[in-house]
Amino acid sequence: MKVLQELLHNDILLAGILSWFVAQVIKTILYAVINKELDMTRLMGDGGMPSAHSATVTAVAAMTGLLCGFGSPLFALACILAIIVMHDAMGVRLETGKQAKLLNEMVTLLEALGQPKLSMEKKLKEFVGHTPSQVMAGMLLGIVVAVVYFYVVL
């Protein structure tokens, strides 16, 4: 019971979770506006604008700095983690999404040309990475959420 109470009062953790949630809601709304359809799977999905990964790790880093000091080793650790996550989102994960899209198109083309059904159970996920602007938007969102949380909630 004490562990649960500590988790529910961990402001760094809560700011990160709140930032992730806000990013996912914004992402779902933007997707609905752009595509003129509400896709509730976007609430839990990867990829899109803004980057929830970036928002989360940036909120964690910012809140760590606000609570522990921007010169603290914990803030340095949180910043390095955030940089790695954001770099990965723009690099490997973005390229993975591009490859998944191409492979899905190839499977569709081969099937349209009369090729027997290929053994893919379902399409590969294409929304897995982020563009630099999606990462930047997520980073800015994470900072805003952490600062608002710090000055309004605490």
Side-chain angles (χ1 to χ4, degrees):
M1 189 66 176
K2 183 178 182 207
V3 171
L4 181 61
Q5 185 178 8
E6 288 176 351
L7 284 174
L8 294 175
H9 289 91
N10 185 326
D11 295 314
I12 294 171
L13 177 64
L14 294 176
I17 292 169
L18 178 62
S19 189
W20 172 85
F21 180 76
V22 170
Q24 291 299 109
V25 168
I26 291 170
K27 183 185 305 189
T28 303
I29 292 168
L30 286 176
Y31 183 89
V33 169
I34 291 168
N35 296 291
K36 299 189 180 14
E37 69 170 319
L38 182 60
D39 181 1
M40 296 307 285
T41 64
R42 297 303 303 143
L43 277 174
M44 299 299 287
D46 297 327
M49 172 69 92
S51 165
H53 289 87
S54 300
T56 304
V57 294
T58 302
V60 166
M63 187 59 80
T64 301
L66 289 165
L67 291 175
C68 302
F70 290 97
S72 72
L74 288 176
F75 175 69
L77 180 65
C79 277
I80 295 300
L81 175 65
I83 290 167
I84 290 169
V85 167
M86 289 186 285
H87 181 267
D88 185 62
M90 289 186 298
V92 174
R93 293 181 69 239
L94 181 61
E95 292 304 315
T96 299
K98 290 177 184 177
Q99 290 172 4
K101 182 174 178 150
L102 180 62
L103 288 170
N104 287 335
E105 289 172 0
M106 289 171 62
V107 167
T108 301
L109 176 64
L110 288 171
E111 288 174 353
L113 292 173
Q115 187 74 14
K117 182 105 172 117
L118 297 176
S119 64
M120 288 178 56
E121 294 177 24
K122 60 182 179 176
K123 290 179 72 172
L124 297 171
K125 279 178 40 175
E126 296 176 12
F127 282 118
V128 291
H130 294 285
T131 64
S133 61
Q134 292 168 340
V135 168
M136 182 63 70
M139 183 183 78
L140 293 174
L141 176 63
I143 291 169
V144 168
V145 168
V147 168
V148 168
Y149 185 99
F150 184 78
Y151 287 107
V152 174
V153 176
L154 296 183

